[in-house]
C-alpha cells in the first residue's frame, strides 16, 4: 500500500534504470541480481492517477 490513494502522484510509476532499461517497481522481481524480492505489493498503486496505470499488473493495483 505504498502509494495507495495518493491521487496527487502523476506521471509514470517509480522506476530505476538498469543497463539502459527502465525497471518499474513492479518489475523488480525480474531482476534478482539487483533487488531483493518484493514479497508484499497488494494495492500498492490503488487510487493513483499514474499515466502507466493500465500497464501495472493487476496484483499491484
Amino acid at each position: 500500500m505504498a502509494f495507495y490513494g495518493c491521487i496527487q502522484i502523476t506521471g509514470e510509476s517509480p522506476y530505476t534504470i538498469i543497463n539502459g532499461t527502465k525497471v518499474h517497481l513492479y518489475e523488480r522481481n525480474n531482476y534478482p541480481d539487483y533487488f531483493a524480492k518484493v514479497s508484499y505489493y497488494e494495492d500498492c498503486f490503488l487510487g493513483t492517477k499514474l499515466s502507466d496505470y493500465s500497464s501495472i499488473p493487476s496484483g499491484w493495483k
Side-chain angles (χ1 to χ4, degrees):
M1 297 178 75
F3 303 101
Y4 175 80
C6 293
I7 60 172
Q8 67 272 22
I9 295 177
T10 59
E12 195 169 351
S13 62
Y15 67 86
T16 192
I17 304 290
I18 301 292
N19 297 324
T21 301
K22 285 183 183 180
V23 179
H24 290 89
L25 184 64
Y26 53 86
E27 298 170 316
R28 288 183 173 197
N29 284 347
N30 299 332
Y31 294 83
D33 293 341
Y34 295 92
F35 306 102
K37 184 174 181 172
V38 179
S39 58
Y40 184 78
Y41 48 82
E42 185 177 334
D43 297 337
C44 186
F45 296 104
L46 184 66
T48 63
K49 294 184 178 182
L50 297 168
S51 60
D52 61 338
Y53 188 80
S54 63
S55 300
I56 297 173
S58 61
W60 287 77
K61 293 180 181 179

